[in-house]
């Protein structure tokens, strides 16, 4: 009688432990999610019926769509170790030019004009940073002043209404399966940027440049060309944001995008990206965008003055930076031989 070999049972204990450890590690670093959850709880307690109402949620999504694409633009620049403080002014310029120039009579033509303005601004910023070796902060500071000055000069401080204002308003309020189309465009852009960063050679180059530009250059990465492409793509996203602004309000105003650069930088930081470059996720940027939109919405529902709203935003930025710093210190203590990532 032949004995049947006994196959030892397969134990998945190690795999389960590893998976559990990975999930635990991921949850420990999701400060942005915890902040968002706390905000939603406060909103439910204080203004639950209004906050979760269909009208308010629609307005909230529309608000997210505009700042959301700008946050994505800021994210890819920050990943390279740079910063772009001209995004708000560039958005305003794209919006007013699209409203008053050739884009006025047509929604689609307005999109082309807005993308052209944003792409041109991004190309100039990127060329000065990548090929002339200028500091991103100084370059974009100058572009901020230039673009905002052109916004005021072009419109003389008066809102510019496009010829196709009704078409813009109709498109801006349109929905698909109950979700505003503008919000779907933002989420589609988030998916596209995530794909480019995580699934393409270009994305790996962006992270490599932000982590160590000299090492990236030594390994054969075309640093200058990659940096230039990052700023151009960021400019296109900002131009799209200007078009979304025009679609939502059916008017280009001199204050369009004013101080939006601060919210974009803060959303990126709260989402876990390092301003020194090399680390950051699209998911975190999206969560950071939602946080700022919820804060602005909730404070408005609570009738808090705009001055105190700015104070709340500033406090939130400080909290996010503090939490990120604590995380970096903990990682250095755990494994001092590895570079810490926020």
């Amino acid at each position: 009688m032949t004995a049947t070999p006994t196959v030892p049972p397969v134990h998945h204990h190690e795999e389960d432990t590893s998976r559990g450890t990975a999930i635990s590690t991921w949850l420990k670093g999701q400060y942005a999610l915890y902040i968002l959850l706390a905000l939603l709880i406060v909103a439910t307690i204080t203004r639950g019926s209004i906050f979760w109402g269909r009208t308010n949620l629609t307005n909230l999504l529309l608000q997210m769509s505009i700042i959301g694409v700008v946050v994505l633009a800021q994210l890819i620049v920050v990943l390279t170790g740079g910063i772009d403080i001209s995004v708000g002014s560039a958005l305003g310029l794209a919006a007013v030019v699209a409203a008053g120039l050739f884009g006025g009579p047509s929604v689609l033509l307005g999109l082309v004009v807005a993308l052209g303005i944003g792409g041109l601004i991004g190309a100039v910023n990127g060329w000065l940073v990548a090929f002339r070796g200028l500091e991103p902060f100084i370059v974009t500071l100058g572009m901020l002043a230039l673009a905002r000055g052109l916004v005021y000069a072009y419109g003389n401080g008066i809102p510019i209404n496009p010829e196709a204002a009704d078409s813009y308003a109709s498109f801006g309020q349109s929905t698909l399966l109950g979700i505003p189309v503008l919000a779907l465009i933002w989420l589609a852009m988030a998916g596209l940027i995530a794909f480019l960063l995580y699934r393409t050679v270009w994305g790996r180059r962006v992270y490599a440049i932000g982590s160590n530009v000299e090492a990236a250059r030594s390994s054969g990465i075309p640093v200058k060309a990659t940096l230039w492409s990052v700023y151009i793509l960021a400019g296109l996203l900002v131009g799209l944001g200007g078009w979304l602004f025009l679609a939502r309000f059916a008017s280009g105003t001199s204050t369009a995008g004013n101080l939006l650069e601060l919210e974009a930088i803060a959303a990126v930081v709260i989402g876990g990206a390092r301003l020194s470059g090399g680390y950051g996720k699209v998911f975190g940027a999206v969560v950071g965008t939602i946080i700022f939109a919820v804060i602005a919405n909730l404070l408005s529902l609570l009738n808090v003055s705009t001055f105190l709203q700015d104070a709340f935003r500033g406090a939130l930025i400080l909290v996010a930076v503090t939490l990120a710093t604590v995380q970096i210190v903990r990682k250095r203590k755990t494994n001092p031989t590895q570079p810490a990532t926020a």
Side-chain angles (χ1 to χ4, degrees):
M1 183 174 182
T2 305
T4 304
T6 302
V7 179
V10 178
H11 296 286
H12 298 282
H13 178 69
E14 292 184 0
E15 293 182 7
D16 294 340
T17 302
S18 177
R19 187 181 298 110
T21 301
I23 295 175
S24 176
T25 302
W26 184 82
L27 288 175
K28 287 181 180 179
Q30 298 306 307
Y31 298 114
L33 277 179
Y34 303 143
I35 293 174
L36 177 58
L37 179 60
L39 286 173
L40 293 178
I41 292 174
V42 172
T44 302
I45 294 174
T46 58
R47 289 292 188 272
S49 59
I50 300 177
F51 180 84
W52 295 107
R54 183 180 182 84
T55 300
N56 186 66
L57 289 179
T58 298
N59 290 331
L60 191 58
L61 286 171
L62 290 173
Q63 183 179 355
M64 291 179 193
S65 64
I66 298 173
I67 185 177
V69 293
V70 177
V71 171
L72 293 174
Q74 192 69 251
L75 172 66
I76 60 176
V77 172
V78 166
L79 287 177
T80 66
I83 196 168
D84 189 347
I85 61 174
S86 69
V87 291
S89 297
L91 181 146
L93 184 61
V96 297
V97 173
L101 202 59
F102 303 108
S106 168
V107 174
L108 291 179
L109 189 55
L111 173 61
V112 174
V113 172
L115 290 176
I117 294 295
L120 177 61
I121 291 175
V124 172
N125 286 340
W127 183 79
L128 291 173
V129 171
F131 295 101
R132 304 305 300 174
L134 301 181
E135 288 295 327
F137 180 83
I138 300 300
V139 169
T140 56
L141 176 62
M143 185 58 73
L144 179 153
L146 174 60
R148 185 58 62 181
L150 291 175
V151 170
Y152 288 129
Y154 187 78
N156 291 320
I158 302 174
I160 299 177
N161 300 316
E163 295 180 30
D166 293 339
S167 298
Y168 275 105
S170 176
F171 177 74
Q173 297 299 321
S174 61
T175 62
L176 180 63
L177 300 177
I179 303 174
V181 171
L182 301 190
L184 292 176
I185 292 175
W186 161 49
L187 294 176
M189 290 300 102
L192 174 62
I193 297 302
F195 173 79
L196 292 175
L197 289 176
Y198 310 149
R199 301 297 182 185
T200 67
V201 174
W202 179 84
R204 291 192 289 272
R205 289 173 175 175
V206 168
Y207 279 103
I209 291 172
S211 298
N212 190 323
V213 65
E214 293 303 325
R217 185 177 288 110
S218 299
S219 64
I221 292 176
V223 173
K224 294 181 179 180
T226 303
L227 280 176
W228 197 29
S229 67
V230 165
Y231 280 89
I232 291 175
L233 179 56
L236 291 172
L237 288 169
V238 171
L240 176 62
W243 182 72
L244 294 178
F245 180 94
L246 189 56
R248 183 185 178 191
F249 299 104
S251 176
T253 65
S254 59
T255 58
N258 194 31
L259 298 180
L260 191 57
E261 57 275 356
L262 298 182
E263 293 190 21
I265 294 171
V268 168
V269 172
I270 289 175
R274 291 189 306 177
L275 290 178
S276 58
Y279 187 86
K281 299 292 184 181
V282 172
F283 176 75
V286 170
V287 173
T289 300
I290 298 174
I291 286 174
F292 267 85
V294 169
I295 287 177
N297 182 261
L298 180 58
L299 293 178
S300 297
L301 293 178
L302 294 174
N303 296 318
V304 176
S305 71
T306 55
F307 302 108
L308 283 178
Q309 289 184 28
D310 292 337
F312 274 102
R313 292 190 185 96
L316 184 58
I317 295 172
L318 293 177
V319 169
V321 172
T322 301
L323 291 176
T325 302
V326 170
Q327 185 181 10
I328 291 173
V329 171
R330 285 178 178 175
K331 288 188 176 183
R332 285 175 177 170
K333 289 181 178 179
T334 302
N335 194 348
T337 62
Q338 295 294 327
T341 55

